[in-house]
Amino acid sequence: MYDTLKDTYQLFEEIGRGRFGTILRAYCPVSAESVAVKIIDKSVLTDETDRACLEKEPKIMTLLAPHPNILQIHNVFETEDSMAMVLELCEPETLYDRIAHRSLPETEAANIMKQLLGAIAHCHRMGVAHRDLKPENILFDSRNNLKLADFGSAEWSSEGESMEGVVGTPYYVAPEVLMGRMYNEKVDVWSAGVMLYIMLAGIPPFYGETATEIFESVLRGNLRFPPKIFRGVSPAAKDLLRKMICRDVSRRLSAEQALRHPWILNGGEANPMD
């Protein structure tokens, strides 16, 4: 594989590391384009679920392309022992880095959320649920356009169709996933809502010292807006949060509905709901 890969791309330094491999910066002389190459060592994939995810990820990313807010896949090289996915190159700073030590102004949070919801809505229209939305998976290109990445936990899901399996990350996972019930694509809306809460508050809505404590907090699902922290946050933003981080899945907004919420439409600026 490496010979074929190196015939097409010039490989440079490591720019990232995941559970199953490394990400290198690379350059394609033919297109005069810098790219990222994600190289996965299949020998470390002892779990059949992990192997299935690896096979599914490039297929899902190819299906979703092109979309301005979804990381683009350019090429795939594969042998029995390894796989290399050639991806759009993004800046090293993720959304996690941006919000690690500060909350964001509503206008900035609304701009990010509009792009993220657009990406999620596209996934759902194409019959895909991401299932692991978190700030670490939100990248930005050199023009500051949001790029949704890491579809390793994604699953095919026609609208309203049920899925199962506990996947996701403690702070962001929807309660119905933890309950072991069948669930649908709206788990992504819950996760996006949690990210919006953190963007505006600087803290997660459900907290614990351990994963178990976080899960228990998520299952209780008591969404609160501490006055000291939310004093400067608009009623419209809190209204959207309530409708995205909603335990009742039937009442939780879809990604399309969230995109039409006044707070998103007004770009986080003051509006009649305030």
Side-chain angles (χ1 to χ4, degrees):
M1 179 191 78
Y2 286 102
D3 290 340
T4 311
L5 180 63
K6 287 175 181 175
D7 286 343
T8 315
Y9 299 94
Q10 297 170 4
L11 303 179
F12 299 110
E13 78 278 7
E14 181 181 315
I15 56 174
R17 188 173 284 271
R19 259 197 317 161
F20 304 122
T22 56
I23 302 167
L24 306 178
R25 187 174 66 83
Y27 178 76
C28 178
V30 175
S31 64
E33 187 176 23
S34 292
V35 293
V37 179
K38 184 178 183 180
I39 300 175
I40 297 124
D41 180 0
K42 290 185 183 179
S43 67
V44 302
L45 302 176
T46 54
D47 188 287
E48 283 302 315
T49 304
D50 290 337
R51 284 186 169 273
C53 289
L54 177 63
E55 289 175 12
K56 204 183 301 175
E57 185 173 15
K59 293 175 184 174
I60 285 177
M61 293 185 75
T62 301
L63 170 74
L64 295 173
H67 188 278
N69 298 119
I70 293 176
L71 191 70
Q72 188 173 344
I73 184 167
H74 296 300
N75 216 331
V76 179
F77 297 86
E78 187 170 11
T79 66
E80 194 173 322
D81 302 317
S82 59
M83 175 191 282
M85 289 190 285
V86 182
L87 306 165
E88 183 178 3
L89 182 66
C90 286
E91 297 294 297
E93 184 186 60
T94 67
L95 180 59
Y96 178 85
D97 299 316
R98 290 192 180 187
I99 63 176
H101 303 294
R102 68 183 184 107
S103 56
L104 304 181
E106 288 193 40
T107 50
E108 187 177 345
N111 177 50
I112 289 171
M113 191 52 49
K114 181 178 182 179
Q115 294 179 73
L116 177 58
L117 286 169
I120 296 169
H122 178 70
C123 291
H124 294 176
R125 282 193 298 271
M126 299 301 289
V128 172
H130 187 284
R131 301 203 302 171
D132 192 22
L133 290 175
K134 56 185 177 183
E136 294 92 329
N137 290 339
I138 310 300
L139 310 179
F140 299 91
D141 68 12
S142 58
R143 295 180 179 179
N144 202 34
N145 296 308
L146 180 147
K147 300 287 179 175
L148 177 57
D150 198 342
F151 287 82
S153 297
E155 185 57 273
W156 307 110
S157 169
S158 300
E159 188 175 349
E161 186 179 302
S162 294
M163 296 167 281
E164 58 185 338
V166 178
V167 296
T169 302
Y171 286 119
Y172 309 97
V173 68
E176 62 267 28
V177 175
L178 297 176
M179 290 176 191
R181 297 176 181 169
M182 303 292 278
Y183 53 85
N184 64 25
E185 74 283 351
K186 282 188 179 180
V187 296
D188 289 342
V189 177
W190 174 285
S191 302
V194 171
M195 278 193 276
L196 176 57
Y197 187 105
I198 294 172
M199 280 190 264
L200 295 174
I203 59 169
F206 309 112
Y207 183 75
E209 294 294 335
T210 64
T212 301
E213 288 180 9
I214 296 168
F215 289 150
E216 289 170 354
S217 180
V218 170
L219 286 167
R220 285 194 296 274
N222 296 325
L223 184 64
R224 296 189 176 94
F225 301 110
K228 279 188 178 180
I229 295 170
F230 277 85
R231 185 181 295 116
V233 176
S234 69
K238 287 184 269 192
D239 181 72
L240 177 57
L241 285 168
R242 288 189 193 96
K243 290 172 177 174
M244 292 177 72
I245 310 174
C246 177
R247 281 175 56 86
D248 184 343
V249 180
S250 67
R251 292 174 55 225
R252 188 183 307 160
L253 296 182
S254 68
E256 294 276 10
Q257 289 169 331
L259 272 171
R260 297 195 295 270
H261 189 276
W263 187 78
I264 296 290
L265 294 175
N266 289 306
E269 299 283 0
N271 61 66
M273 291 190 68
D274 292 357

